[in-house]
């Protein structure tokens, strides 16, 4: 079954929870747009409030998952790469500018890798969640009410 067809059927068959699953998948580096799913759900009859709620649940959960992956893999490979000049440079940049980088975490293409790097460099999760989740939810609110029916 084609990937986009599967996602469309998931939205049609399961409405809000389907949107949550699609939004989770889209935020874990899969090639799909949660924004398109959000708008498709609204245009298919899901209320903007419900659509924002379900898309936010899935997307924010995926961001936490990405953070966890980065954190887990960071612990596993840091000892192997800690002597690298490249690693030292990135670690220094992330300690200085890492939280500011989270301001770009809602953007397509760069946002999801930022969430993984945040975990890898062990940023405080509560700050990560506050910034990332707020921006993701705000993006959905703007889309749902700015471009919805």
């Amino acid at each position: 079954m084609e990937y986009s067809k599967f996602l469309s059927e998931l939205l049609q068959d399961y409405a809000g929870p389907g949107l949550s699953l699609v939004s989770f998948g889209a935020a874990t580096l899969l090639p799909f747009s949660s924004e398109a799913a959000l708008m498709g759900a609204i245009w298919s009859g899901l209320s903007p409030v419900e659509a924002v709620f379900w898309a936010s649940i899935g997307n924010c959960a995926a961001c936490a998952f990405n953070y966890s992956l980065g954190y887990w893999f960071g612990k596993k490979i840091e000892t192997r790469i800690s002597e690298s000049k490249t690693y030292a440079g990135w670690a220094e940049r992330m300690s200085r500018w890492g939280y500011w980088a989270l301001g770009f975490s809602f953007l397509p293409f760069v946002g999801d890798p930022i969430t993984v790097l945040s975990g890898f460099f062990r940023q405080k999760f509560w700050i990560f969640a506050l910034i990332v989740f707020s921006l993701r939810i705000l993006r959905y609110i703007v889309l749902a009410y700015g471009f919805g029916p």
Side-chain angles (χ1 to χ4, degrees), residues 35 101-108 110-112 114 132 135-136 139:
E35 295 86 357
L102 292 176
F104 299 102
S105 65
F106 72 98
L107 295 173
V110 298
D112 299 331
I114 288 172
V132 173
L135 290 172
R136 299 278 176 131
R139 174 186 66 188

Side-chain angles (χ1 to χ4, degrees), residues 6 9 13 16 35 39-40 69 73-74 83 91 95 123 127 145:
F6 169 73
E9 288 178 7
D13 294 342
E35 295 86 357
M39 297 311 293
L69 280 178
F73 280 113
E83 301 299 319
S95 69
Q123 292 180 323
I127 296 173
Y145 291 98

Side-chain angles (χ1 to χ4, degrees), residues 89-143:
W90 275 105
E92 191 274 325
R93 283 186 206 98
M94 283 300 286
S95 69
R96 182 181 304 156
W97 303 105
Y99 292 113
W100 288 103
L102 292 176
F104 299 102
S105 65
F106 72 98
L107 295 173
F109 305 112
V110 298
D112 299 331
I114 288 172
T115 62
V116 174
L117 285 174
S118 187
F120 184 86
F121 287 108
R122 294 177 190 79
Q123 292 180 323
K124 292 179 183 172
F125 183 77
W126 73 270
I127 296 173
F128 166 87
L130 180 68
I131 295 169
V132 173
F133 295 1
S134 296
L135 290 172
R136 299 278 176 131
I137 294 167
L138 181 61
R139 174 186 66 188
Y140 287 145
I141 291 170
V142 168
L143 280 171

Side-chain angles (χ1 to χ4, degrees), residues 22-31 58-59 61-63 65-66 69 112 136:
V22 170
S23 296
F24 184 95
T28 55
L29 304 176
L30 292 176
N59 203 269
C63 290
F65 177 77
N66 290 345
L69 280 178
D112 299 331
R136 299 278 176 131

